[in-house]
Every structure is written in C-alpha cells, then in structure tokens.
Amino acid sequence: MIMNRLEASKKAHEVHRENIKRSLQHRLQVARAKGDEKLIRQLEAEMKYFS
C-alpha cells in the first residue's frame, strides 16, 4: 500500500513538472511572437531550471 502511494506521488510529481514545462513552452512562443526580449530571457531561465 505504501509503495502504491509512493508511486502515485512520484507520477503526480512528474505529470506536474511536464505540465509546467508545456505551459512555459507556450508562454515562450507567445513572448517570441510579441518580441518581448525581457520575458523571453526570464522564461528561458525557467525552462533551464525545469530541465
């Protein structure tokens, strides 16, 4: 039972990180389309953190 909870927790953590990465990628695309260099640098830094 404890292993199931541990596995479920790990899976939830992985899914959460993937959702964050996907959101960051979308935000980065929008920032690039708008030409917002400051936001682009900030989002690229966040992407490195989650990689």
Side-chain angles (χ1 to χ4, degrees), residues 2 6-7 13 16 20 23 32 36 41-42 48 50:
I2 291 175
L6 182 58
E7 289 173 16
H13 181 74
H16 182 63
I20 290 171
S23 175
R32 285 183 175 141
D36 189 337
R41 286 191 303 273
Q42 181 181 351
K48 286 181 185 178
F50 283 102

Side-chain angles (χ1 to χ4, degrees), residues 3-32:
M3 282 303 287
N4 289 340
R5 287 184 189 173
L6 182 58
E7 289 173 16
S9 176
K10 285 181 182 180
K11 181 65 177 173
H13 181 74
E14 289 173 23
V15 169
H16 182 63
R17 285 181 64 89
E18 288 303 315
N19 287 338
I20 290 171
K21 285 181 183 181
R22 211 172 8 255
S23 175
L24 281 170
Q25 288 171 344
H26 174 71
R27 291 172 61 205
L28 188 53
Q29 283 180 325
V30 172
R32 285 183 175 141

